[in-house]
Amino acid sequence: FQLSGKMSSASIYRRTLPLVMTGFFSSFINSGFKVWAVFALLAGNFDHFKSNSFYLCCIGVCVLPPLLAAVFSGFTADRLPKRYIIIAGKLLELPLIAAGAYLMERTGTGAGGYALLTVVMLCGVLTAFCKPALEGLTAETFSEPERPVGVTL
């Protein structure tokens, strides 16, 4: 396809790759890790992990952090450089994922269940702060004629 303006399509793909990779890993954290962690807890042999209140706690831990942090994350994304917010958020997710993997291993013994939910909640808070910055960075990275192609990729 052809773009009008001074940017070439190769330039669009080069600028899009970091955003695509960030989006992919964010989706993994949002969907894959959280679901994996909750299933690991529910598959345990302990009765307190099978109660209705624990199910409600799992849902709240996955849903509430992005809802409650939305105002603060949007404010932060508007005031600070978006690139640094994304880099800091992804770097902070690395030790959280490592702690989550360790706690998933400990869940079989009954230890670490609520600590694992805390890790899932903190991942949700980090995602809530990274998402507005990532969406704002996409808008800043591409000019007006390139924006539909950049968002699609």
Side-chain angles (χ1 to χ4, degrees):
F1 74 92
Q2 293 289 338
L3 286 176
S4 60
K6 50 187 170 177
M7 296 286 183
S8 69
S9 61
S11 172
I12 289 175
Y13 297 123
R14 192 188 75 225
R15 288 179 287 148
T16 304
L17 183 62
L19 296 173
V20 168
M21 294 307 293
T22 303
F24 170 76
F25 287 114
S26 294
S27 295
F28 172 74
I29 297 299
N30 282 337
S31 301
F33 177 73
K34 287 181 183 177
V35 170
W36 189 27
V38 170
F39 283 157
L41 290 173
L42 297 179
N45 294 327
F46 301 97
D47 290 336
H48 66 277
F49 289 159
K50 302 215 183 297
S51 68
N52 288 338
S53 61
F54 187 75
Y55 290 151
L56 185 61
C57 185
C58 289
I59 292 169
V61 160
C62 292
V63 172
L64 288 179
L67 291 176
L68 297 177
V71 173
F72 301 113
S73 62
F75 178 81
T76 305
D78 288 340
R79 302 296 186 274
L80 298 175
K82 293 166 183 55
R83 180 173 181 248
Y84 295 134
I85 293 171
I86 294 169
I87 290 171
K90 296 304 165 193
L91 287 176
L92 288 172
E93 278 180 353
L94 290 174
L96 282 176
I97 296 297
Y102 173 75
L103 290 171
M104 274 191 247
E105 179 66 30
R106 307 259 313 148
T107 303
T109 63
Y114 290 101
L116 182 57
L117 282 180
T118 304
V119 169
V120 170
M121 181 189 68
L122 291 174
C123 283
V125 170
L126 283 174
T127 300
F129 274 90
C130 289
K131 197 64 166 172
L134 181 62
E135 291 172 5
L137 190 62
T138 303
E140 290 176 1
T141 302
F142 302 103
S143 64
E144 188 65 36
E146 298 173 325
R147 200 165 293 148
V149 175
V151 170
T152 302
L153 294 176

